[in-house]
Amino acid sequence: MPAMPPLPANDQLLDYVTSCALPTPWAQFTLHAFVEHSTGKEHLAMVLGDVKDGEPVLARVHSECLTGDVLFSQRCDCGAQLEGALQRIAEEGRGVLLYLRQEGRGIGLLNKIRAYRLQEAGADTVEANLQLGFHADARNYELCQPMLAHFGVRSLRLMTNNPRKIAALTRLGIDVADRVPLLVNRNAFNNSYLDTKQAKLGHMMTPATVAEPGAT
Ligand SMILES: [Zn+2]
């Protein structure tokens, strides 16, 4: 099958700034920094290996979750998904992780903490966002297009359990050649959160979709 040509980048949305080496416990990635024009937010990409050859690239589009990614929160599964994705990319020696600064499914850190507070009073994660006047999921993936185009990436093997993310990327003209399920880290604190993501946001988390570590 002929390799897909790279998409032209939509440079209206963000600028490429710079890059550096980023050693991690799993591999030495290259960290690339972008800045979004409309918000001034800094978005990041971690890249490993040669991703410009036109073949589908193992990829994760990860939205920032400060509590889960940095503070070890067990209220969600973000930290485990981030770690699992970087580990899988390192195992293959090739891949891209986009780190988008859209905290709390797009509502921001303070509102996420407000939503957690509402959840402690009985709301689920979707109801809490709605009570605060937000959509259930306010994330926007349009930045993925210029970021991936910058690296010459057109086609993904996307690590996700979220069919809405696949649909959003496809609408942007990004080819999702395959979905690679991510292991879900269930615990006593995130059990009902994960059930809500499955029931109300369509996430695919049945055991049948869970990959064995190292499977392709
Ligand atoms: Zn999270």
Side-chain angles (χ1 to χ4, degrees):
M1 207 170 75
M4 301 191 81
L7 284 174
N10 180 354
D11 295 325
Q12 307 302 308
L13 297 176
L14 47 66
D15 279 327
Y16 181 74
V17 181
T18 190
S19 68
C20 69
L22 193 75
T24 71
W26 311 285
Q28 177 159 316
F29 290 81
T30 305
L31 179 68
H32 300 267
F34 298 80
V35 64
E36 184 180 0
H37 294 163
S38 62
T39 61
K41 282 186 181 173
E42 300 114 341
H43 302 279
L44 302 171
M46 291 171 73
V47 177
L48 186 68
D50 177 13
V51 296
K52 286 187 194 295
D53 59 10
E55 295 299 318
V57 174
L58 183 64
R60 167 80 184 156
V61 174
H62 192 87
S63 296
E64 176 180 29
C65 174
L66 187 100
T67 48
D69 297 342
V70 180
L71 302 179
F72 313 102
S73 169
Q74 300 293 294
R75 296 187 76 124
C76 60
D77 55 340
C78 303
Q81 292 202 338
L82 178 62
E83 189 171 334
L86 291 174
Q87 210 165 344
R88 284 291 289 273
I89 291 171
E91 281 165 12
E92 291 210 1
R94 177 176 179 269
V96 173
L97 182 135
L98 301 185
Y99 193 88
L100 304 179
R101 307 293 298 284
Q102 41 183 353
E103 175 68 53
R105 289 206 304 274
I107 68 174
L109 180 59
L110 295 182
N111 285 320
K112 183 171 80 170
I113 295 169
R114 289 189 179 106
Y116 281 162
R117 183 79 187 166
L118 290 172
Q119 288 170 45
E120 287 167 3
D124 69 30
T125 181
V126 168
E127 291 162 353
N129 278 27
L130 297 176
Q131 283 178 32
L132 289 169
F134 297 105
H135 294 294
D137 190 340
R139 287 178 295 187
N140 181 338
Y141 297 103
E142 65 178 355
L143 294 175
C144 297
Q145 195 278 335
M147 291 175 84
L148 291 169
H150 177 83
F151 301 113
V153 172
R154 171 69 191 270
S155 179
L156 307 180
R157 287 166 49 229
L158 189 67
M159 291 181 275
T160 185
N161 301 322
N162 183 359
R164 292 176 186 212
K165 194 181 284 182
I166 296 172
L169 294 177
T170 304
R171 277 197 298 275
L172 292 167
I174 298 162
D175 176 54
V176 180
D178 194 15
R179 180 179 81 88
V180 180
L182 271 177
L183 278 172
V184 176
N185 185 30
R186 270 190 192 269
N187 63 48
F189 305 100
N190 69 17
N191 218 12
S192 65
Y193 163 81
L194 294 174
D195 285 344
T196 302
K197 282 217 297 195
Q198 191 164 4
K200 293 194 174 177
L201 297 174
H203 286 231
M204 298 174 277
M205 296 182 196
T206 55
T209 66
V210 175
E212 294 299 323
T216 53

